[in-house]
Amino acid sequence: MGATIVIAGSPAAADGGGYWAKQCDYGRACLYLSGLRSGPGGPIWNIDGCGWHAVNDHYDAGLTHGNSMTVYYRDNRWDIVDAWTGRSLDPANVVTTVFVSC
């Protein structure tokens, strides 16, 4: 039997370095909320700018329109989303921070 992930409630507030939308906007690194949840403007967190961003929530995927990003999980693992690509993330693991390279 497979494990079931139960994610309830609203998405965690990010650090203010971005915005919720229904799409990943051009020039952004983006995270897609897991569990069919949505933020106030949509299910996709569009990250503003380069550098470190606190996140603290579960995400299914990442997409970059430009710069690569490294997604860091609570269990000290990470995933890299290369520039101009997308990839699945670990929805069972909490993303704590994201570093957008510039």
Side-chain angles (χ1 to χ4, degrees):
M1 294 190 56
T4 302
I5 303 166
V6 177
I7 303 171
S10 299
D15 69 352
Y19 55 92
W20 294 107
K22 294 179 181 172
Q23 71 284 330
C24 183
D25 292 336
Y26 185 80
R28 304 283 179 197
C30 299
L31 297 169
Y32 291 69
L33 274 171
S34 56
L36 300 174
R37 295 172 303 136
S38 185
I44 302 167
W45 181 248
N46 281 256
I47 299 169
D48 279 336
C50 304
W52 293 99
H53 299 270
V55 180
N56 201 36
D57 210 334
H58 297 264
Y59 294 90
D60 286 331
L63 178 69
T64 62
H65 289 295
N67 303 315
S68 66
M69 72 173 159
T70 305
V71 177
Y72 294 90
Y73 298 104
R74 182 174 287 159
D75 68 357
N76 295 319
R77 291 184 312 116
W78 67 90
D79 280 319
I80 296 173
V81 183
D82 290 324
W84 302 104
T85 68
R87 64 164 293 158
S88 61
L89 300 175
D90 181 357
N93 210 340
V94 174
V95 173
T96 58
T97 54
V98 173
F99 183 80
V100 178
S101 301
C102 290

